[in-house]
Amino acid sequence: MDFRVKAGSKLTGEVQLPGDKSISHRSIMCAALAEGTSVINGFLNGEDCLATLDAFSKMGVSIDKTDNKVVVQGVGLRGLKKPDSDLYLGNSGTSMRLMSGILAGQNFSTVLTGDRSLSARPMERVVTPLNLMGSNISTNLEGKPPIKIESSSGLNSLSYELPIASAQIKSCLMFAGLYANGPVTVTEHLRTRNHTELMFQEFGIEVEVNESSKARKITVIPPKSFLATDINVPADFSSASFFILAALITPESELLIKNVGINKTRIGFLHALRHMGANIELQNEINSLEPTADILVKTSDLKGISLNTALVANMIDEMPAFFIAAALAEGITKIKDVKELRAKESDRLQAMSEALESFGVKFHLNGDGIVINGLGKDGVFKASKISSHGDHRIAMASSIASLRAEGETTIIDCHNVNTSFPNFIDVCREVGINIAET
């Protein structure tokens, strides 16, 4: 499936976006291991989250889904059953890495597999610390899926320092900590998204967080059991980022994006855009464990910046959209230390470089960073054919960029958008974007 997008102007209206992908994954995992019935409202019906749901169903968890409402009958920490076959997780790295932590503590063996893209992604980053806890897990010779997890009689306590800023590694070890014989502590030097810490607290699992100027230590105290609870999933900030970008770069636009999660570990993109001069206002803020707000965005003249590297870990999924903002800013934008972009659904640093080149933007790759020469507020991209490289965020960022291209732009192989934003086309049309699928 390809997208065809024509240049646009004056995007307006109010939009409600799908539920947060990260929170949807974690809500299913915790609800499945809880005692009792959990109701999840706002669940994301994207392919990635459905892969998590399907995997737990195959391990004996009763799950009833109607639209974006999911009712989970928890089986308790020790209630999962051996699946009849390998667990296929499609394109979902979150499913594979976090579930590895859960399955490392089970008394049955499992095999986790994925599609071609997921099978090329590094998994030693979770396998190594899990084996330090006494599990017996292996990958192929290159450290990539499938992941083979042998049965376990129990996991050991662990204190582990993250070698890279990764919420998935942290969360994997936190889930493994539910099955450990003592506390499990993870230390991170760059703060990553904290949805797992908050979700554990929501379910009554004891988590201690100690923070200093140099590091953040998260300790899970293994519970004997924990009770079910209901979860309301806000709209996904990463999905909102594409419509924030659309309103900023399209003339005479004003969009209100409703009920978006604004967890402070997720909104580095917002801070970066404001530094560039973006006109973005938060309205109707609700402060809860997962805070939300309506986001009002108006067309803005952006200025190039040197991106604060402290923001990178908290905007890694929004980086493709940020590249487009930088390409239409006045002046130069410098981006450093984005190595983790190379280990996503595609090599996003390379993929976005190719997209910028096709659009006629000058840039310079510098190791694991990039310098982008912005075209300015009156800049126009070349109409082109852009490959998504099988990556949903490349596809969506390129689609939004096409609003500022001359003529019609084609983005190739966009079925992957269904992994995180299954109604992307509908929402685009709702706000006035001229987009079609072929």
Side-chain angles (χ1 to χ4, degrees):
M1 181 174 67
D2 300 342
F3 290 165
R4 299 195 319 274
V5 187
K6 294 182 179 179
S9 62
K10 200 172 183 178
L11 306 181
T12 60
E14 297 182 3
V15 291
Q16 178 69 54
L17 302 182
D20 188 283
K21 186 157 76 84
S22 295
I23 298 173
S24 294
H25 279 301
R26 289 158 173 81
S27 64
I28 292 292
M29 294 177 188
C30 287
L33 302 177
E35 303 276 354
T37 302
S38 298
V39 178
I40 302 164
N41 291 298
F43 179 80
L44 172 63
N45 282 307
E47 291 175 356
D48 280 8
C49 295
L50 293 175
T52 292
L53 189 152
D54 181 63
F56 280 96
S57 295
K58 289 178 177 176
M59 291 187 287
V61 180
S62 176
I63 301 176
D64 181 35
K65 188 179 79 66
T66 305
D67 297 326
N68 62 353
K69 178 181 177 180
V70 180
V71 180
V72 182
Q73 307 292 337
V75 296
L77 277 172
R78 303 290 175 180
L80 295 179
K81 297 178 181 178
K82 180 179 174 62
D84 293 334
S85 60
D86 297 350
L87 295 177
Y88 177 74
L89 301 173
N91 191 236
S92 181
T94 301
S95 301
M96 183 168 284
R97 293 191 177 116
L98 272 59
M99 287 182 62
S100 293
I102 294 171
L103 295 172
Q106 304 302 320
N107 61 2
F108 55 80
S109 60
T110 45
V111 177
L112 304 181
T113 67
D115 66 10
R116 181 186 298 181
S117 172
L118 182 54
S119 297
R121 296 173 69 180
M123 293 296 155
E124 279 296 323
R125 53 182 58 184
V126 295
V127 169
T128 297
L130 287 175
N131 283 338
L132 290 175
M133 295 180 70
S135 67
N136 184 2
I137 305 178
S138 61
T139 61
N140 68 14
L141 293 177
E142 297 177 337
K144 296 173 182 176
I147 297 180
K148 298 179 180 180
I149 306 172
E150 301 298 334
S151 62
S152 170
S153 57
L155 300 176
N156 299 322
S157 179
L158 178 71
S159 181
Y160 189 74
E161 191 167 310
L162 292 181
I164 58 174
S166 171
Q168 291 184 356
I169 303 174
K170 174 179 68 175
S171 299
C172 168
L173 298 178
M174 290 179 67
F175 274 108
L178 301 178
Y179 297 92
N181 58 15
V184 169
T185 298
V186 182
T187 300
E188 57 181 10
H189 294 283
L190 287 174
R191 185 168 187 171
T192 65
R193 59 183 65 179
N194 65 347
H195 297 304
T196 305
E197 293 96 305
L198 297 180
M199 188 67 68
F200 275 24
Q201 291 176 41
E202 197 81 58
F203 277 88
I205 301 166
E206 188 175 354
V207 179
E208 298 174 357
V209 179
N210 294 298
E211 200 160 357
S212 69
S213 59
K214 294 183 178 180
R216 184 169 179 266
K217 294 180 181 290
I218 304 97
T219 301
V220 176
I221 310 300
K224 292 183 179 179
S225 64
F226 58 91
L227 297 178
T229 191
D230 295 343
I231 299 293
N232 292 313
V233 182
D236 194 307
F237 182 82
S238 295
S239 295
S241 69
F242 300 108
F243 291 91
I244 293 172
L245 173 68
L248 288 176
I249 68 172
T250 308
E252 303 178 42
S253 294
E254 182 174 327
L255 283 182
L256 184 67
I257 310 167
K258 303 283 287 183
N259 189 41
V260 181
I262 55 166
N263 182 309
K264 61 184 178 181
T265 66
R266 287 287 296 279
I267 57 173
F269 181 63
L270 206 60
H271 295 309
L273 290 176
R274 282 175 165 169
H275 190 199
M276 298 174 81
N279 187 342
I280 301 173
E281 179 185 341
L282 299 183
Q283 301 179 346
N284 302 320
E285 293 187 56
I286 298 175
N287 291 315
S288 57
L289 272 179
E290 290 285 359
T292 63
D294 299 339
I295 303 178
L296 180 66
V297 191
K298 299 178 182 179
T299 305
S300 304
D301 295 340
L302 303 177
K303 305 293 183 184
I305 63 170
S306 292
L307 181 64
N308 184 343
T309 54
L311 294 177
V312 169
N314 290 335
M315 58 183 290
I316 204 73
D317 283 341
E318 294 75 50
M319 203 62 75
F322 182 72
F323 280 23
I324 300 303
L328 291 168
E330 193 75 41
I332 294 173
T333 295
K334 298 179 181 179
I335 304 168
K336 298 192 299 182
D337 299 334
V338 287
K339 180 180 180 180
E340 192 62 14
L341 283 179
R342 297 191 183 278
K344 304 299 284 185
E345 284 85 336
S346 67
D347 179 341
R348 286 182 179 163
L349 188 55
Q350 181 62 36
M352 284 306 299
S353 297
E354 292 176 15
L356 292 178
E357 185 173 24
S358 295
F359 282 132
V361 178
K362 293 182 179 180
F363 64 91
H364 173 64
L365 279 176
N366 185 12
D368 291 318
I370 187 171
V371 177
I372 299 173
N373 293 70
L375 298 176
K377 64 178 182 179
D378 297 320
V380 178
F381 293 142
K382 294 178 182 177
S384 182
K385 285 190 176 181
I386 309 292
S387 172
S388 77
H389 291 270
D391 189 322
H392 55 134
R393 302 208 189 277
I394 303 299
M396 289 186 281
S398 300
S399 297
I400 298 304
S402 302
L403 291 169
R404 285 283 294 271
E406 51 190 12
E408 183 176 89
T409 297
T410 301
I411 299 91
I412 300 167
D413 186 15
C414 297
H415 176 77
N416 44 74
V417 167
N418 290 323
T419 62
S420 66
F421 203 152
N423 63 334
F424 176 71
I425 289 280
D426 294 334
V427 177
C428 283
R429 290 171 176 163
E430 185 180 338
V431 301
I433 296 174
N434 190 338
I435 184 170
E437 52 188 346
T438 58

